[in-house]
Amino acid sequence: MQISKSFSNVVTNLSWFIFNYNKLAELIACSYRLGQFIQQSEQVSYQFKQLNQAENGNERLSLENLIIKKPDGKILLKLPDLHINKGESVVLSGASDIGKSTLFKIISGLYPYYDGVVKVPKFKKLFLSQNAYFPMGGLAHAVSYPEPLFEKDLTVIKQLLFDVGFSSEDIDKYLLNDNLNTLSGGEKQRLVVARILMHKPDWIFMDETTNALDKVAEKQLLKLLQTNLPTSSFIIISHSDISNYFNKCYQLNLS
Ligand SMILES: Nc1ncnc2c1ncn2[C@@H]1O[C@H](COP(=O)(O)OP(=O)(O)O)[C@@H](O)[C@H]1O
Ligand SMILES: [Mg+2]
């Protein structure tokens, strides 16, 4: 009687593994994926650390022996050595898909697949893409981003919105009204210019940020940037010939 009870106990306890087999398999798979994730993030943070180390004490943007690669290791673009001092600007052009936007991702520290040295200036930088991100909120939030909106800044923001071409009526209507989806591509790009004027960065990286504007408006807004930020450096990816709108600016065609 005792033997049969013990046998039944052993069977019941061992069958735990049978009933929980699925959960065990899930646990193993999750642990494996988590392990891979930790390994990858350590690798990436090591590469970013190298990039950040180059930032310390650096007052100019330098690209040395830079070869941009795809994640699979294939070469995307070889760049000429480039040294840009604060106050100098450069307009980068080149065919589609050669790696211009990827170059900005490298400089901002978001893309680790490259050979060579990238020395990033330590001063205040702002990166802006063709379709800039706007947070929830109205025109004022879009201008103050990536900083939060402070009420004390509203007067300045309203003036900036007016300077980049918004009508007083639209400013009042949409200042804090969460309905930016109705804005045209050009209006969104005017907002980006207002954001630059608000933050006054030392280094401004613009990736085709004015390409939805007509030539006259583009010229006006770029002139506005140059006049208000005469000591900043503008690194601009553009297919238009805009280098003459900036001081000490040269055109570099990447190919
Ligand atoms: N993270 C990534 N993974 C795979 N391919 C990428 C990645 N980033 C960019 N690429 C590829 O690199 C090429 C260059 O892209 P991009 O830098 O956006 O070109 P463009 O010169 O038009 O700005 C494209 O073919 C794109 O698909
Ligand atoms: Mg691009």
Side-chain angles (χ1 to χ4, degrees):
M1 182 68 183
Q2 248 182 339
I3 291 174
S4 107
K5 204 172 163 193
S6 302
F7 179 72
S8 152
N9 270 345
V10 169
V11 169
T12 311
N13 285 331
L14 284 182
S15 54
W16 182 91
F17 291 98
I18 297 167
F19 291 121
N20 288 286
Y21 188 80
N22 280 352
K23 285 184 183 159
L24 282 171
E26 260 176 46
L27 179 67
I28 291 167
C30 270
S31 314
Y32 180 67
R33 283 203 299 272
L34 205 56
Q36 277 185 325
F37 174 72
I38 291 168
Q39 204 182 357
Q40 289 287 327
S41 48
E42 274 168 2
Q43 245 177 33
V44 171
S45 69
Y46 172 69
Q47 280 157 329
F48 281 7
K49 206 168 138 213
Q50 283 185 319
L51 186 72
N52 288 337
Q53 276 168 354
E55 184 173 350
N56 291 338
N58 199 36
E59 297 202 358
R60 62 179 185 167
L61 174 67
S62 295
L63 310 178
E64 292 162 11
N65 305 316
L66 187 63
I67 300 177
I68 304 178
K69 296 181 170 178
K70 289 198 173 190
D72 62 10
K74 282 191 190 138
I75 292 177
L76 191 58
L77 180 65
K78 287 184 185 176
L79 279 106
D81 282 5
L82 209 60
H83 301 281
I84 305 163
N85 293 311
K86 183 158 181 305
E88 289 175 352
S89 298
V90 56
V91 177
L92 303 170
S93 56
S96 300
D97 305 328
I98 58 165
K100 302 181 298 299
S101 299
T102 311
L103 171 65
F104 276 17
K105 286 188 212 155
I106 289 175
I107 297 170
S108 65
L110 292 172
Y111 190 89
Y113 308 103
Y114 65 90
D115 290 337
V117 179
V118 177
K119 290 182 187 155
V120 185
K122 62 182 173 177
F123 300 105
K124 189 171 173 183
K125 299 178 277 289
L126 190 65
F127 289 84
L128 299 146
S129 70
Q130 196 172 351
N131 299 305
Y133 172 75
F134 297 123
M136 297 282 282
L139 296 175
H141 294 85
V143 174
S144 67
Y145 184 83
E147 303 294 332
L149 175 64
F150 297 108
E151 208 180 328
K152 67 175 174 52
D153 294 330
L154 281 177
T155 317
V156 175
I157 291 176
K158 278 167 102 167
Q159 182 59 49
L160 290 177
L161 287 166
F162 189 73
D163 293 345
V164 297
F166 283 88
S167 68
S168 305
E169 198 188 2
D170 280 351
I171 295 171
D172 288 338
K173 197 167 162 193
Y174 296 113
L175 190 69
L176 300 169
N177 182 346
D178 188 9
N179 191 17
L180 298 187
N181 294 333
T182 53
L183 294 183
S184 70
E187 284 171 325
K188 285 180 181 163
Q189 296 196 335
R190 288 175 190 277
L191 264 182
V192 166
V193 173
R195 185 184 290 172
I196 299 171
L197 292 169
M198 177 77 195
H199 294 292
K200 302 183 173 58
D202 302 291
W203 290 82
I204 300 138
F205 295 83
M206 298 167 71
D207 186 357
E208 301 193 42
T209 16
T210 52
N211 64 355
L213 294 158
D214 62 80
K215 291 287 155 237
V216 176
E218 182 179 49
K219 183 176 175 181
Q220 272 171 355
L221 290 174
L222 293 178
K223 281 271 177 206
L224 186 70
L225 284 174
Q226 169 67 63
T227 311
N228 283 275
L229 305 169
T231 58
S232 296
S233 286
F234 292 85
I235 316 298
I236 303 181
I237 295 172
S238 173
H239 294 290
S240 317
D241 181 14
I242 53 172
S243 56
N244 57 340
Y245 302 156
F246 295 92
N247 290 335
K248 294 190 215 160
C249 184
Y250 61 96
Q251 178 91 28
L252 179 66
N253 189 37
L254 302 172
S255 51

